[in-house]
Amino acid sequence: MFKSFIRKVHSNIVWPFLPNGIYCFNYHRIGDMNKSPFDPNVFSCTEELFEKHIQFYNDTFCVISVDDLINIINKNEFIHKKYALITFDDGYIDNYSIAFPILKKYCTPAAFFIATNHLDSPGIPWWDEIAWIIRHSKVALIKFCDWNEAIDISTGTITLNIRTILKKIKQDKMRSMEDKIKELENICQSKMTDNARDTKLFMDWEQVKEMSESRMHIGSHTLSHNILSHLSKKQQNEEIVLSKKRIEEKLGIKVTSFAYPVGGKAAFTEDSKLLVEQANYELAFSFIPGIISNLNKKERYQYKRLPVDNNCSISQLRQIIVKHK
Ligand SMILES: [Zn+2]
């Protein structure tokens, strides 16, 4: 309580002195995390809060699109303002049904990074499947063969337990995600039902096309959403090149931007950055927290973003901005 009060006071004092730069905000899902049978951690905020966030960005920043950013980079312009750039990863259906109408209402541009396999062969992505299995676990203690300690899901919140288990699963580079899901099914004695598997979680091409034609920016988030640093160079290249080609084919646009799946420091390599550049993307976004204050070539393929999650209020959003400025 006292700590959060101090954080609030601190952010109010520092706020007027925020540096110029590009404040790139990253969302995943919009909606009520408590109503989802899948991963609650991918919900950034509710619909009501999202509308407040958009009003806040428009009141506080000069909101730009990825195309505006590319123009600023190409003109070698000095960043003399506080810009905001709104991005969404993964292409969940609520990006179209909830976020898009609000963005249109406020004439606010945003960028959507899609993993094309999610549109071509709709299904449930690995993190949502893992969350579903954990939610339906028949046992309380979850322990993979290579873990030192078990995680007790009968204590703490389900949101936190899912986050902890997903984090550990993501760290294991040795086995395929398929194998890890099989092991989890065995441990939890639960397997996703066909009914759950039929849920429409992602947008379809028609919806993405409608957004693209309404001046929303569409970028690539690979084919499969596999973590690039876990793949061979050849596999990485396929993910980077073929997803771009697929979006261009389906939407009739030039794809200029890329976002690394998962996106933390460990999720991509120097090779990944080079392959993205060689595939003729103009820029790429990471999920490393921070603001973009330097548009030089070195940074261009790993721009930082500010994570928006956990239903954050405007006051918490201000604290995130101040923390990473
Ligand atoms: Zn993603």
Side-chain angles (χ1 to χ4, degrees), residues 48-268:
E48 294 70 29
L49 267 175
F50 182 67
E51 183 158 2
K52 287 198 179 120
H53 290 184
I54 296 303
Q55 290 166 343
F56 165 72
Y57 297 142
N58 282 311
D59 291 345
T60 315
F61 297 94
C62 169
V63 182
I64 55 168
S65 65
V66 169
D67 295 317
D68 295 329
L69 174 57
I70 292 171
N71 274 333
I72 293 172
I73 297 168
N74 290 341
K75 283 186 190 157
N76 253 330
E77 273 178 26
F78 185 66
I79 309 177
H80 55 85
K81 277 186 190 169
K82 292 171 196 57
Y83 293 106
L85 182 60
I86 302 158
T87 67
F88 281 81
D89 281 5
D90 299 346
Y92 278 99
I93 183 75
D94 44 70
N95 294 183
Y96 173 81
S97 59
I98 303 178
F100 178 44
I102 294 173
L103 291 163
K104 273 198 294 190
K105 182 175 165 188
Y106 292 91
C107 295
T108 303
F112 296 84
F113 293 96
I114 54 171
T116 56
N117 286 358
H118 291 163
L119 280 78
D120 284 328
S121 10
I124 308 299
W126 50 264
W127 57 93
D128 279 319
E129 181 165 3
I130 287 169
W132 194 98
I133 296 168
I134 297 167
R135 283 177 185 278
H136 294 81
S137 177
K138 294 192 178 63
V139 299
L141 294 180
I142 298 184
K143 183 180 176 302
F144 274 56
C145 58
D146 56 332
W147 294 1
N148 294 328
E149 274 175 37
I151 292 170
D152 183 356
I153 59 167
S154 65
T155 62
T157 65
I158 187 71
T159 304
L160 193 61
N161 285 325
I162 289 173
R163 190 186 303 165
T164 310
I165 293 169
L166 272 170
K167 196 174 167 197
K168 282 177 91 73
I169 290 177
K170 274 189 253 183
Q171 282 163 352
D172 172 10
K173 284 189 184 185
M174 303 310 285
R175 289 176 303 156
S176 70
M177 198 51 83
E178 227 173 38
D179 286 348
K180 289 185 267 187
I181 288 177
K182 274 199 188 113
E183 184 174 350
L184 185 66
E185 285 172 348
N186 288 334
I187 296 166
C188 295
Q189 296 163 41
S190 74
K191 195 176 167 134
M192 185 177 260
T193 58
D194 289 346
N195 210 7
R197 209 171 278 287
D198 283 345
T199 312
K200 182 175 161 52
L201 273 184
F202 294 101
M203 297 187 279
D204 58 36
W205 283 113
E206 231 168 82
Q207 292 162 335
V208 176
K209 194 169 174 55
E210 188 188 328
M211 297 212 303
S212 167
E213 285 169 354
S214 301
R215 298 185 32 229
M216 295 294 150
H217 178 94
I218 310 297
S220 166
H221 199 38
T222 71
L223 295 170
S224 67
H225 203 286
N226 272 318
I227 298 169
L228 290 181
S229 59
H230 294 191
L231 304 179
S232 69
K233 205 171 158 184
K234 185 171 174 282
Q235 287 169 319
Q236 287 196 48
N237 198 44
E238 275 176 16
E239 294 277 352
I240 292 164
V241 171
L242 298 182
S243 57
K244 183 178 196 289
K245 198 166 159 251
R246 184 68 181 144
I247 302 172
E248 290 179 345
E249 216 170 69
K250 291 297 282 185
L251 304 185
I253 58 168
K254 190 168 181 285
V255 173
T256 51
S257 61
F258 184 87
Y260 302 101
V262 181
K265 267 192 186 132
F268 59 101

Side-chain angles (χ1 to χ4, degrees), residues 32-38 43:
D32 185 350
M33 65 162 82
N34 298 317
K35 288 187 180 152
S36 168
F38 301 104
F43 282 84

Side-chain angles (χ1 to χ4, degrees), residues 5-20:
F5 172 74
I6 292 291
R7 270 201 299 268
K8 202 171 169 180
V9 171
H10 175 249
S11 81
N12 284 341
I13 294 169
V14 174
W15 190 255
F17 307 103
L18 278 187
N20 288 335

